[in-house]
Amino acid sequence: MKPSIHPLALRVRLFRPDGNPLRRRSDRVESVLVLAAVLLVLACVWPAVLAGRAAYEDAASEQHAGPGLRTQVMATLTENAPPSRVSYTQVPAVPLQATARWTTPQGATATGLVPVPALATAGTQVPVWVDASGMPVQPPADDVELVSRGVATALFVVFLAGVVALAAFAACRRLLDRRRYHEWEADWLRADERWRRPHRP
């Protein structure tokens, strides 16, 4: 039994340039379009890497912690944590918050709502991230999240290049198909005229 040809190998064989006399001019143009689409996607790999790196660096710069930026302080709860309606094995849908008091980087005393663990009581100390003015802010993202942002940006650029290349190829192939169908119809008309023409002895 003759082994079947892999679909990918069949596509490569279909579009690869060769000296096949049965290939029409439109077929050769389509092969060139396929090569151009592949080269366009490959050419966008390096810009995608640069875009991903830029996204990573921008996200990392926003997450800097240190004096004058985002710092972590210890806040003391002035009230008990609100009761949670979930069991110990579940995580509340909304983070619990309670009023706490902490000292800002400038040495002033601030009071406000901060995230607290369940069953925390008044007097418990909890870590809180604050900005330069001493107001609570979100904690900085970890390295995994920053890398994920960079990778997602790079993949999006490659995906966008692939979509543009595929759309351009589909539009050009549609025009080529119209021309092929027109040529095919004209060839059948000429063949029909030859078949209908009486043969001379």
Side-chain angles (χ1 to χ4, degrees):
M1 182 177 179
K2 187 176 181 180
S4 59
I5 302 177
H6 193 275
L8 180 59
L10 184 61
R11 288 292 179 182
V12 173
R13 181 180 299 181
L14 178 64
F15 293 115
R16 69 179 182 181
D18 55 17
N20 190 344
L22 297 179
R23 285 186 182 273
R24 296 161 296 185
R25 182 179 180 182
S26 57
D27 297 332
R28 303 184 188 278
V29 172
E30 185 174 355
S31 299
V32 174
L33 292 176
V34 171
L35 179 61
V38 173
L39 292 178
L40 175 62
V41 176
L42 294 178
C44 290
V45 172
W46 181 244
V49 172
L50 296 179
R53 182 177 179 180
Y56 170 82
E57 293 177 349
D58 290 343
S61 63
E62 296 176 356
Q63 305 298 327
H64 283 328
L69 299 173
R70 184 182 323 212
T71 56
Q72 190 180 50
V73 299
M74 298 302 297
T76 303
L77 298 183
T78 59
E79 63 178 358
N80 297 334
S84 176
R85 297 183 180 180
V86 298
S87 64
Y88 292 102
T89 59
Q90 295 178 323
V91 178
V94 179
L96 299 178
Q97 291 184 329
T99 305
R101 181 175 58 253
W102 65 91
T103 302
T104 66
Q106 292 78 16
T109 300
T111 304
L113 292 176
V114 297
V116 296
L119 304 179
T121 59
T124 303
Q125 288 191 334
V126 294
V128 177
W129 285 93
V130 297
D131 57 15
S133 62
M135 300 304 297
V137 293
Q138 293 292 332
D142 55 13
D143 291 338
V144 175
E145 183 177 351
L146 296 180
V147 172
S148 299
R149 292 183 185 180
V151 172
T153 302
L155 293 179
F156 177 76
V157 173
V158 175
F159 172 76
L160 186 61
V163 170
V164 172
L166 183 61
F169 173 75
C172 293
R173 186 175 183 180
R174 184 179 181 87
L175 296 177
L176 291 175
D177 286 340
R178 289 182 179 179
R179 182 174 181 179
R180 280 192 283 249
Y181 294 151
H182 179 74
E183 293 177 352
W184 194 8
E185 183 178 0
D187 291 341
W188 275 110
L189 290 176
R190 286 192 293 268
D192 184 67
E193 291 179 358
R194 289 195 300 267
W195 292 338
R196 292 176 180 275
R197 189 178 305 167
H199 294 282
R200 297 181 179 180

